[in-house]
């Protein structure tokens, strides 16, 4: 099955519409409908999606606005209706699909484990309604925004701690620079708390925060209240949309003004509370170039997986797809007129989508069973905390599917190859590592001692050869010196021979004279 990006949208009825909304999946290239799931009317920030991954079927959570009910969909049908303690104003799920958090109009936050349904915590987090909840990408923190203009960051480890269940949770930090209700929150890529977050508010501002230092980096001031945000995955830019139909593109990098600068780009902002960047859609020429006018109230935004398309949902039921580079409108999906688009997201086409494969929680040997995809377990949520259930804490975990025979043949690994690799990697690691056994260590010591004895023997031989060579060279030099002196006094072929002979003759004559005189 080839990879294909699709659009998942959720709709809610307006005053002009009759009947409930739906969750619909569209082809992002053509706008055609793949599947539609009825019986939902979730408002903004009340739909959460877990895509299919690792051989487990994904699911969709949809909190209903008029009832304390949460609908659970897999990519085949409506599979479960969960009765909640009270109506939820917003809902979110972590990236792994393990935990679900919900906020209420009274400022209360609930957190459940999805596989077991256990309510881990429920606490009064804000003074007024919770408008938006977001997990960080590593699922280590929960960020909440409220009508009381506060943004709170909660550590998941502290919320799940059994020892602090009777205590009121303390936030990791509280960001209080907004003056009016918070409307949207986005978490950047990275591990908590090194990641950054964007917050939007009715006070016409979008603020960029650094969680590690609990500080405000930059404030972006807009001409209208900001309703919803969309952040590029590389964090190069973000889009801020207003209910009046204007979408502002804000680049977080700009061209350096220095003429001879080595690097052509520099980061925007970062000076703190006093750093305010004003975005005026009617003033500067650059601001007008980065403005998209939809001319309809905007309810939600999303960016495609390739970061090349911007998806815009409106209050009139239209989904408009723009090219980010040129801001050109590529296509419009208009099959939801009379409804409001309350959620937009993109994903790869699920292999367990209705009409393509059947879902099953069991296993079998029939062809249908082999082609089925197990559903990620979702258990009805507890309506109140139960210490006994926490102590038992039984969680249903779906084991990964066994590979088929063709897959096993493709990844065949013989015994000889296993033993050879074990000898190369495992044994070598045992000898070099701290976990070396006594037998292998003793054998290694014996090998090293034998090598040392051989080296000593070779060193003795080399020393003997060196001494012999030294003595030979010295004797040769002494002999040559003596022979040179003998040649100087004895017979030779050079021109000094006659002179030496004459000297010898004169000496002989003188000796004979002495003898005669005597």
């Amino acid at each position: 099955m080839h990879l294909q990006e699709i659009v998942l949208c959720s709709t809610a009825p307006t005053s002009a519409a009759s009947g409930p909304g739906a969750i619909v999946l569209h082809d992002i290239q053509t706008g055609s409908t793949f599947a539609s799931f009825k019986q939902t009317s979730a408002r903004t920030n009340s739909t959460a999606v877990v895509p299919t991954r690792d051989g487990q079927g994904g699911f969709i959570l949809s909190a209903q606005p008029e009832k304390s009910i949460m609908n659970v969909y897999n990519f085949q049908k409506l599979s479960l209706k969960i009765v909640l303690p009270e109506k939820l104003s917003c809902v979110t799920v972590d990236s792994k699909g393990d935990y679900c958090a919900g906020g209420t109009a009274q400022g209360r936050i609930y957190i459940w484990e999805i596989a077991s349904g256990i309510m881990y915590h429920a606490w009064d987090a804000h003074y007024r309604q919770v408008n938006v909840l977001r997990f960080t990408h590593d699922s280590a923190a929960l960020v909440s925004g409220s009508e009381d203009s506060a943004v709170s960051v909660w550590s998941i480890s502290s919320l799940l701690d059994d020892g602090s269940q009777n205590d009121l949770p303390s936030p990791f930090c509280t960001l209080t620079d907004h003056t009016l209700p918070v409307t949207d929150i986005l978490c950047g890529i990275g591990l908590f708390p090194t990641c950054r977050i964007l917050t939007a508010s009715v006070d016409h501002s979008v603020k960029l925060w650094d969680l590690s230092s609990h500080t405000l980096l930059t404030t972006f001031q807009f001409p209208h209240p900001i309703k919803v945000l969309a952040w590029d995955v590389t964090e190069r830019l973000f889009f801020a949309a207003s209910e009046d139909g204007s979408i502002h593109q804000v680049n977080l990098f700009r061209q350096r003004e220095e003429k001879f600068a080595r690097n052509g780009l520099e980061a925007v902002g970062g000076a703190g509370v006093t750093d305010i960047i004003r975005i005026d859609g009617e003033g500067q020429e650059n601001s007008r170039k980065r403005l998209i006018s939809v001319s309809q109230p905007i309810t939600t935004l999303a960016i495609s997986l390739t970061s090349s398309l911007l998806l815009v949902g409106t209050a009139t039921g239209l989904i408009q797809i723009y090219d980010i580079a040129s801001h050109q409108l590529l296509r419009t999906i208009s099959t939801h007129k009379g409804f409001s688009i309350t959620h937009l997201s993109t994903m790869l086409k699920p292999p367990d989508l209705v009409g393509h494969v059947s879902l099953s929680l069991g296993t079998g040997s029939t062809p249908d069973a082999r082609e089925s995809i197990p559903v990620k377990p979702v258990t009805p949520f507890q309506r109140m905390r139960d210490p006994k259930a926490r102590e038992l804490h039984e969680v249903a975990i779906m084991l990964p599917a066994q590979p088929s025979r063709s897959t096993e043949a493709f990844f065949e690994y013989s015994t000889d190859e296993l033993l050879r690799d074990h000898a190369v990697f495992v044994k070598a690691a045992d000898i070099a590592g701290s976990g070396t056994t006594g037998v292998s260590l003793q054998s290694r010591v014996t090998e090293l001692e034998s090598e040392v004895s051989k080296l000593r023997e070779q060193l003795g031989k080399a020393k003997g050869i060196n001494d012999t060579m030294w003595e030979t060279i010295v004797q040769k030099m002494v002999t040559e010196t003596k022979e040179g002196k003998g040649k100087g006094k004895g017979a030779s072929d050079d021109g000094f021979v006659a002179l030496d002979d004459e000297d010898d003759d004169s000496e002989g004559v003188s000796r004979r004279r002495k003898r005669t005189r005597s």
Side-chain angles (χ1 to χ4, degrees), residues 268-345:
V268 173
V273 179
T274 59
D275 187 10
I276 301 177
I277 299 177
R278 301 190 179 278
I279 309 297
D280 190 357
E282 300 178 356
Q284 303 176 1
E285 181 68 21
N286 292 334
S287 298
R288 290 199 301 270
K289 291 181 180 180
R290 295 193 294 265
L291 178 65
I292 300 177
S293 297
V294 181
S295 70
Q296 294 184 23
I298 299 173
T299 54
T300 182
L301 294 177
I303 295 179
S304 65
L305 298 179
T306 59
S307 297
S308 60
L309 303 177
L310 175 67
L311 287 75
V312 181
T314 67
T316 59
L318 298 180
I319 301 176
Q320 297 184 346
I321 303 176
Y322 291 86
D323 177 65
I324 291 180
S326 63
H327 290 183
Q328 179 182 0
L329 177 61
L330 301 180
R331 67 190 61 87
T332 301
I333 302 175
S334 57
T335 57
H336 308 292
K337 289 185 176 180
F339 292 84
S340 175
I341 306 296
T342 58
H343 175 84
L344 274 180
S345 61

Side-chain angles (χ1 to χ4, degrees), residues 153-230:
V153 182
W154 311 89
S155 173
I156 296 299
S157 60
S158 63
L159 297 177
L160 304 183
D161 186 11
D162 291 335
S164 60
Q165 291 303 304
N166 296 325
D167 302 330
L168 182 65
S170 298
F172 172 80
C173 64
T174 301
L175 313 175
T176 58
D177 203 69
H178 283 296
T179 58
L180 290 176
V182 177
T183 56
D184 201 4
I185 297 173
L186 292 180
C187 298
I189 299 295
L191 301 177
F192 173 79
T194 58
C195 58
R196 302 183 298 175
I197 65 171
L198 278 174
T199 59
S201 173
V202 183
D203 60 8
H204 296 212
S205 70
V206 173
K207 297 182 184 293
L208 180 63
W209 305 86
D210 177 34
L211 293 184
S212 59
S213 59
H214 308 179
T215 57
L216 173 64
L217 298 178
T218 308
T219 299
F220 301 92
Q221 198 70 28
F222 294 86
H224 302 285
I226 300 301
K227 174 69 174 178
V228 65
L229 299 172

Side-chain angles (χ1 to χ4, degrees), residues 498-512:
L499 294 176
D500 293 338
D501 292 342
E502 292 177 358
D503 292 339
D504 293 339
D505 294 340
S506 61
E507 289 179 359
V509 173
S510 62
R511 290 175 182 173
R512 287 194 295 272

Side-chain angles (χ1 to χ4, degrees), residues 412-423:
E412 186 176 357
Y413 196 46
S414 64
T415 305
D416 295 337
E417 292 176 339
L418 175 62
L419 295 177
R420 185 178 65 250
D421 294 342
H422 180 272

